[in-house]
Amino acid sequence: MSDKPTVLFVCVHNAGRSQMAAGWLRHLAGDTVEVRSAGSAPANQVNPAAVAAMREVGIDITDQTPKKLEWETAESSDVIVTMGCGDACPVFPGKRYEDWQLDDPAGQGVEAVRPIRDDIRGRVEKLVAELAAGRPAR
C-alpha cells in the first residue's frame, strides 16, 4: 500500500479534460501522487486539440489512451475529480470529491482548448497544494 494519494480524473470520453488534468498533475506533482483518469464512455483516442494545447506548454500526453471507468479504480482512489460524467460516476463514502465545471473541448480547435487547459492548470495547482498540506480525503 502506498502513502501517496491517488487522484482519479473522470469525464465522459476521457479524451480531453480528464487527460489534460492528469497531464498537469503528473507534471506538477511528479511522483508524489498516483494519477489516474477514466471515462464513462471512453473515446477511441485522446482529443488531438488537447494533445496540441498541452504540447504548447511542454506536456506530452500522446502516450495516453482513453480508459473505461471501472468501479475498482474509483473505489481505490483517494480523490475523485469529475468533469461532467453525471450519474455514471460512482460515489463512495469517505472519498474526497470535486466536480469541476469545465467547457468540453470535444470538437473544438486548439484556440478554444487553450483557456480550458489554463483553467485546469489553476485547479490542479490548488489540488496539489491541498494534497501537499495532507488533505487527500474528506
Side-chain angles (χ1 to χ4, degrees):
M1 193 91 177
S2 173
D3 290 336
K4 295 193 280 191
T6 302
V7 178
L8 171 63
F9 295 104
V10 183
C11 67
V12 175
H13 297 128
N14 188 220
R17 296 167 288 189
S18 57
Q19 292 287 353
M20 289 190 290
W24 276 121
L25 185 55
R26 282 189 295 273
H27 178 75
L28 295 169
D31 65 357
T32 64
V33 176
E34 183 178 335
V35 182
R36 302 170 173 175
S37 69
S40 54
N44 293 327
Q45 67 178 18
V46 175
N47 180 332
V51 170
M54 293 300 284
R55 186 178 295 125
E56 289 178 350
V57 294
I59 300 172
D60 184 2
I61 60 172
T62 57
D63 63 340
Q64 301 300 308
T65 55
K67 293 171 259 343
K68 176 99 174 114
L69 176 62
E70 300 290 341
W71 182 269
E72 297 79 20
T73 303
E75 185 178 36
S76 64
S77 296
D78 298 307
V79 180
I80 300 173
V81 179
T82 58
M83 304 172 185
C85 65
D87 294 338
C89 294
V91 176
F92 296 96
K95 302 289 178 191
R96 174 178 170 177
Y97 285 89
E98 292 190 18
D99 184 44
W100 294 355
Q101 298 297 314
L102 298 162
D103 291 335
D104 189 348
Q108 304 291 322
V110 71
E111 298 79 20
V113 175
R114 285 182 190 121
I116 301 167
R117 172 202 66 201
D118 296 343
D119 185 2
I120 291 170
R121 178 184 182 145
R123 293 168 190 251
V124 169
E125 287 173 337
K126 181 178 182 240
L127 179 62
V128 168
E130 292 171 353
L131 293 173
R135 297 179 15 209
R138 285 189 186 160

